[in-house]
Amino acid sequence: MTSSVRPVRARRRTALAVVLCAGLTTALTACGGEDPDKGTNGVGKLTAAEIEKKAQTAADSADAVRLAGKLVSKGGTYQLNMRLREKGGTGSVVSKDSTFELLRIGDDLYLRADSGFWSHDEKPGADAHAGGAAADKLQDKYVKVPEGDPTYKQLRGFTDKKTLLDGLLTLHGTLNKGDRGTVGPTRTVQITGGKGEGGTLDVSLEGTPYPLRFARAAGGGIVTLSDWGKEFPLEAPAKGDTVDYGQQLPKTSS
């Protein structure tokens, strides 16, 4: 009789252990379940500060990136679609009712837009015909922006990888680790600054821990970052497509 009771008790203990193991989600690995970080780059196990540092290091090390989305600042609202490299960039910017293209190779910055972009409010007594003629001359041409022009620094900033990424990848306030999710097909982990008031950054859990999406606080816009490390050509426009306006560009409606 003793020999028949012990196996029954043993089976009960084994069954109970299986039930408990299945119910303890915090002990998946110990119970032989799948590790939620299995197949990832392991960044999800780190603290928020460590994740931010990993993302910044990955971004700094990449030769190129595409940045697309909306940014809201004191200077206005901008819809960007830019491809950036260490020494240049190219892409489009939409500001108010204007759309223009930028191309920078080293310190040489080119701007291309239609005649509507170049239209501007004329001062009383100004020659409207002359202003229209200038806009027609510049339409759809690459205009080399003089380095001394007041808009040069602002426009160059849209093509500067370091300037844009430094502004996007530094979260403010106390860092916190948020939920896991996806950006497109890629699994991500989210970090936030100051309970979300300092911005939110999604970092890839696959391969190199690149930052993939940034949401600025207080409705300051959302941008996605992709094509990390994918090279693209930067070539100066043909002379026939270029206009040298001189020392200062005309005032634009942007």
Side-chain angles (χ1 to χ4, degrees), residues 5-226:
V5 172
R6 287 180 179 175
V8 171
R9 289 178 178 175
R11 285 197 297 272
R12 286 177 178 175
R13 287 197 297 269
T14 301
L16 179 61
V18 170
V19 172
L20 290 175
C21 193
L24 295 175
T25 57
T26 57
L28 284 175
T29 302
C31 294
E34 185 176 351
D35 183 350
D37 285 300
K38 182 179 180 180
T40 74
N41 53 23
V43 168
K45 299 178 180 180
L46 304 178
T47 66
E50 290 171 332
I51 295 172
E52 181 187 48
K53 185 176 181 180
K54 287 276 189 182
Q56 290 174 341
T57 299
D60 289 341
S61 300
D63 295 328
V65 64
R66 179 189 290 274
L67 188 153
K70 183 174 72 172
L71 289 177
V72 181
S73 66
K74 293 180 180 179
T77 299
Y78 303 96
Q79 191 75 31
L80 308 180
N81 188 358
M82 301 296 301
R83 299 192 71 178
L84 309 172
R85 289 169 52 179
E86 292 298 330
K87 295 184 178 181
T90 183
S92 64
V93 180
V94 178
S95 173
K96 295 182 180 178
D97 297 324
S98 298
T99 300
F100 54 95
E101 298 176 24
L102 293 171
L103 168 64
R104 182 175 64 84
I105 305 172
D107 291 327
D108 293 336
L109 177 64
Y110 300 90
L111 168 66
R112 183 167 72 172
D114 60 22
S115 60
F117 174 86
W118 297 109
S119 300
H120 59 280
D121 297 330
E122 301 292 344
K123 295 180 180 180
D127 187 344
H129 176 73
D136 289 341
K137 178 184 177 183
L138 300 175
Q139 177 174 338
D140 295 329
K141 295 287 187 179
Y142 282 100
V143 178
K144 189 173 182 180
V145 182
E147 292 188 42
D149 188 272
T151 63
Y152 178 87
K153 184 176 181 180
Q154 178 189 16
L155 294 176
R156 180 191 168 105
F158 290 122
T159 68
D160 193 302
K161 176 177 177 280
K162 179 174 174 55
T163 296
L164 284 176
L165 293 186
D166 283 352
L168 295 177
L169 303 184
T170 302
L171 300 175
H172 302 287
T174 302
L175 295 181
N176 297 280
K177 186 159 65 172
D179 298 330
R180 308 222 181 169
T182 59
V183 174
T186 306
R187 289 177 292 173
T188 62
V189 61
Q190 195 173 84
I191 55 174
T192 62
K195 297 182 179 179
E197 297 175 1
T200 302
L201 187 67
D202 288 270
V203 179
S204 176
L205 286 173
E206 301 177 19
T208 304
Y210 290 122
L212 299 183
R213 180 170 56 199
F214 175 72
R216 299 181 78 179
I222 299 175
V223 297
T224 58
L225 303 106
S226 61

